[in-house]
Amino acid sequence: MTKTLTKHLEAIKAAKKGIFVPYIMAGDHVKGLDGLFDTITFLENSGASAIEVGIPWSDPVADGPVIELAGQRSLAKGVNLTAIVKKLQEKESQVPLVIMTYINPVYQYGIEKFIADLRETSVKGLIIPDLPHEHEDMIKPFLADTDIALVPLVSLTTGLDRQKTLIEGAEGFIYAVAINGVTGKAGNYRDDLDKHLANLTDLADIPVLTGFGVSTEEDIARFNKVSDGVIVGTKIVKGLHEGQDQDIADFVQQGSNYAK
């Protein structure tokens, strides 16, 4: 059975529109975790295709400085994975939510319990950047009969055979990492990036979204030409933290209204 996240994003793709997924850090709000659904509703109303919800963690190896600071602010408010899951159980969202976390907090929570508790939420996808493909069997058996997709990441250095292995049977979407390094590094794209993304998009049976360093209207236009849409984190997190709500709303609307 095709999972909700896949169907939702494929419907946007079929409508010849760009997919736009903003990233937020759970708990990084003036009201702490109590402001989580305020932010989710704001982004839904701005046209977000889905929303990536980051989990604060003390060793966020894939996060750049802006998102790392957001995680530190959240941790300082006492926010943790258990509290976030409990908050997500309180209300449904209009668009699918995708949790971005690391394997350590999930392991500490209890993998089976974590997945079971997410069944009662609007979470339809999981991104775990430090979980190698070879160790996905730690979590995949618990996802088998759920509506939650495990999203694979494909980097610039991933060879063709490895790409095929990573995307075979994948659900939700393919997260195409546009730079070598952490999030938020804008303007350092490799010359062969567009070709890499176009080839990956042709290879994949589900939507391919480009993330890491995406921060301008030009980026949105560029990556929609060679993939199915974008994921934007650092710009969203920074803008929300600095109170630039209208600018962020406009940016999300531009991304979600991109005509293919």
Side-chain angles (χ1 to χ4, degrees), residues 230-250:
V230 296
I231 300 168
V232 181
T234 294
K235 182 181 179 69
I236 301 293
V237 169
K238 186 174 186 291
L240 292 176
H241 179 62
E242 295 177 352
Q244 300 170 2
D245 289 18
Q246 189 58 55
D247 290 343
I248 294 302
D250 292 343

Side-chain angles (χ1 to χ4, degrees), residues 1 19 28 90 94 136 161 163 169 183 211 245 249-250 254:
M1 181 183 72
I19 297 168
D28 184 33
E90 294 179 5
Q94 297 175 23
E136 285 182 355
D161 289 343
Q163 288 179 37
T183 59
D245 289 18
D250 292 343
Q254 289 161 0

